[in-house]
Amino acid sequence: MKSTGEAIGYDKKLSRAMYKALVAAGTKVQNYGTVIVTLADEDKEEAVPLIRRFYDLGFNIEATDLTAKTMRDHGIRTRTLRKLSEGSNQLLDALRAGYVSYVINTRAIMSGVHYEDGTAIRQTAVENGVTIFTSLDTVRVLLDVLEETTLTISTIDA
């Protein structure tokens, strides 16, 4: 049997075990920065609570036009980035600039629409060491880890 590059993490708490597994698999786990989001239409509503969790942790959110609109409609401050198919390198330039922590990029399973955009986004993310997620399930696991391991500041209400 050939090696498939699996990694496993052991701990008493699932989130800490998942952190160890993510790190062992080579995932850069950062608890600050910017998340770029570009989603297939069918993933937008499922992604909103996940992106809200990033936002609540203090991450900046940047997204392509329709994804950004969805996030803003749900009260998440989001900066809009233009797509390659709109004649802009804005999104790729952001990945090259070094301030992006994560990219969440999903695509419609049977759609060829914007296929080249997604390919270029994923390739540029990999070339620049930006952690990329193409599955919302994995994003959910990452967020569980971040919420467990990130110190947050709360105010004292009188």
Side-chain angles (χ1 to χ4, degrees):
M1 182 173 151
K2 291 185 178 183
S3 172
T4 58
E6 291 128 358
I8 190 164
Y10 290 101
D11 206 293
K12 291 179 182 179
K13 291 190 78 175
L14 178 60
S15 58
R16 290 195 305 236
M18 290 305 302
Y19 171 80
K20 291 175 183 179
L22 288 169
V23 171
T27 304
K28 270 191 347 191
V29 179
Q30 298 182 71
N31 60 359
Y32 61 90
T34 297
V35 179
I36 290 181
V37 188
T38 177
L39 302 168
D41 288 340
E42 61 264 25
D43 294 327
K44 286 179 173 61
E45 288 305 313
E46 180 184 351
V48 167
L50 300 175
I51 305 309
R52 160 80 55 208
R53 289 168 68 186
F54 277 113
Y55 185 73
D56 289 346
L57 283 167
F59 283 85
N60 295 312
I61 309 299
E62 297 183 355
T64 52
D65 189 42
L66 292 177
T67 301
K69 181 184 180 327
T70 300
M71 297 307 142
R72 282 194 294 271
D73 288 348
H74 287 86
I76 301 169
R77 245 179 98 189
T78 305
R79 178 176 175 245
T80 301
L81 298 174
R82 293 187 56 223
K83 294 180 184 179
L84 282 80
S85 56
E86 298 171 339
S88 173
N89 281 327
Q90 192 177 23
L91 201 150
L92 299 184
D93 290 343
L95 291 171
R96 292 180 185 121
Y99 66 87
V100 177
S101 299
Y102 303 107
V103 173
I104 302 169
N105 174 238
T106 67
R107 66 186 267 281
I109 301 298
M110 301 303 289
S111 173
V113 177
H114 304 299
Y115 178 80
E116 292 83 14
D117 283 14
T119 300
I121 290 165
R122 291 186 295 276
Q123 180 177 346
T124 304
V126 169
E127 289 171 352
N128 289 277
V130 178
T131 301
I132 183 162
F133 295 98
T134 57
S135 164
L136 297 179
D137 291 339
T138 312
V139 171
R140 195 171 286 108
V141 169
L142 172 71
L143 283 159
D144 290 345
V145 167
L146 291 175
E147 289 168 345
E148 178 75 21
T149 61
T150 301
L151 295 174
T152 57
I153 298 171
S154 60
T155 59
I156 299 173
D157 297 323

